[in-house]
Amino acid sequence: MYHAVVRAKVRRLWERVGAGDHLAAVRLAAPDVRFKFVGEPPLGAEFTGRDRLEQWFRGMQEVLPGLRITLVDVVVRGWPWRTTVVTRLTMAGTLADGGEYRNEGVQWVTLKWGRMVDDYVLEDTARLAEALRGRTGSPA
């Protein structure tokens, strides 16, 4: 039953994120959340802290305005004191020059008592770097 409740909450969270409320994930994070987005800047990052996570999301919105993230699948394991949530996601958006961006990724999250304490994101970074380099001139 616990896993079904967490899956439902994750689906609702990604519905909000997908509708443009990217900061919904920040509100779920513990103050000392560990975050890693594998890859090179401008989106590749590794840090600790909810404030830094909010800054990262704001930067992501600048680099990929209007980004829509859609939850494809979610797997939940563990118990309230240490829950693992793995999501499969698709991303779509418009680049600064009007070009289309599409990608996919996987997120591995650890929750403790309902708070996100670790967030590890793997996106197709080659596709992301190519899109940013080719479309915006950003050093990806």
Side-chain angles (χ1 to χ4, degrees):
M1 183 64 155
Y2 170 71
H3 296 149
V5 169
V6 173
R7 270 191 303 278
K9 287 184 176 198
V10 169
R11 288 184 199 289
R12 281 193 302 275
L13 172 68
W14 280 109
E15 285 173 7
R16 291 189 2 236
V17 170
D21 182 11
H22 296 114
L23 298 180
V26 174
R27 291 187 289 275
L28 177 68
D32 61 346
V33 63
R34 291 180 310 277
F35 178 81
K36 182 170 186 175
F37 187 101
V38 176
E40 298 297 320
L43 293 180
E46 185 171 3
F47 54 79
T48 300
R50 185 172 41 215
D51 292 341
R52 298 274 316 273
L53 183 60
E54 183 174 349
Q55 291 170 359
W56 183 87
F57 270 107
R58 290 190 192 285
M60 179 196 67
Q61 289 174 321
E62 289 176 16
V63 171
L64 295 167
L67 180 67
R68 293 173 313 281
I69 304 172
T70 304
L71 177 67
V72 175
D73 198 10
V74 59
V75 176
V76 178
R77 297 285 185 263
W79 300 106
W81 52 90
R82 184 172 174 83
T83 307
T84 299
V85 178
V86 179
T87 60
R88 183 172 160 220
L89 308 163
T90 61
M91 286 67 79
T94 303
L95 298 165
D97 71 351
E100 211 174 85
Y101 174 68
R102 296 201 180 283
N103 209 339
E104 57 187 324
V106 174
Q107 176 191 42
W108 187 287
V109 171
T110 302
L111 302 174
K112 287 187 181 177
W113 301 109
R115 285 283 184 201
M116 182 171 59
V117 297
D118 192 71
D119 186 0
Y120 186 87
V121 181
L122 293 165
E123 187 169 331
D124 183 339
T125 54
R127 191 180 300 174
L128 175 61
E130 180 181 332
L132 295 178
R133 189 172 39 251
R135 305 270 186 188
T136 66
S138 294

